[in-house]
């Protein structure tokens, strides 16, 4: 399912989702202070392009908590809402449920990307 799922995902919405992360990363990288946040966006853009067969493990310390709060206020909430809405649209049909679950995984990741690890 991984290869076929990733191919279908990329064609039917992963491209748009990944581009959203890339745009967020470029906007964050405009400032010197935002470069670490932008690099995190680029890391998650690759996950958003091809999410099947990958897991996200959450963790982190005080530094990631502070960055997650800044991220949440500026970029996280809009990205999470978009992913959650896309997930709901995908879950309308039985065939779209696996894709909807991937969108929900990305919505959770959009809320707290720092301190998380992609496996």
């Amino acid at each position: 399912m991984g290869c076929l799922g990733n191919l279908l995902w990329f064609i039917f919405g992963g491209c748009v989702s990944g581009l959203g992360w890339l745009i967020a990363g470029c906007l964050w990288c405009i400032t010197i202070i935002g470069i670490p946040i932008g690099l995190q966006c680029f890391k998650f853009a690759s996950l958003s392009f091809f999410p099947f067969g990958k897991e996200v493990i959450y963790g982190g310390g005080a530094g990631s908590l502070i960055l997650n709060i800044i991220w949440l206020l500026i970029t996280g909430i809009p990205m999470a809402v978009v992913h959650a809405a896309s997930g709901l649209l995908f879950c309308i049909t039985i065939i779209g449920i696996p894709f909807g679950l991937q969108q929900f995984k990305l919505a959770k990741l959009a809320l707290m990307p720092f301190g998380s690890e992609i496996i």
Side-chain angles (χ1 to χ4, degrees), residues 57-69 112-117:
I57 297 174
Y58 297 95
S64 63
L65 175 67
I66 293 168
L67 287 174
N68 276 331
I69 291 171
M112 48 187 168
F114 291 94
S116 59
E117 190 176 322

Side-chain angles (χ1 to χ4, degrees), residues 39-56:
L39 294 177
Q40 192 76 5
C41 291
F42 296 142
K43 182 172 90 172
F44 293 124
S46 68
L47 174 70
S48 186
F49 281 129
F50 303 107
F52 285 93
K54 296 179 182 173
E55 273 188 53
V56 180

Side-chain angles (χ1 to χ4, degrees), residues 21-107:
W21 281 103
L22 284 175
I23 290 170
C26 289
L27 290 174
W28 274 105
C29 283
I30 289 174
T31 65
I32 294 173
I33 297 171
I35 290 175
I37 299 172
L39 294 177
Q40 192 76 5
C41 291
F42 296 142
K43 182 172 90 172
F44 293 124
S46 68
L47 174 70
S48 186
F49 281 129
F50 303 107
F52 285 93
K54 296 179 182 173
E55 273 188 53
V56 180
I57 297 174
Y58 297 95
S64 63
L65 175 67
I66 293 168
L67 287 174
N68 276 331
I69 291 171
I70 294 169
W71 169 266
L72 184 67
L73 295 175
I74 298 173
T75 308
I77 292 174
M79 294 294 279
V81 168
V82 168
H83 285 299
S86 297
L88 288 174
L89 289 175
F90 275 121
C91 286
I92 290 174
T93 64
I94 293 174
I95 295 171
I97 290 174
F99 301 106
L101 295 176
Q102 296 301 318
Q103 285 285 1
F104 293 139
K105 177 171 68 173
L106 291 168

Side-chain angles (χ1 to χ4, degrees), residues 5-24:
N6 280 328
L7 179 66
L8 291 173
W9 172 268
F10 186 78
I11 293 170
F12 294 112
C15 182
V16 174
S17 176
L19 286 175
W21 281 103
L22 284 175
I23 290 170

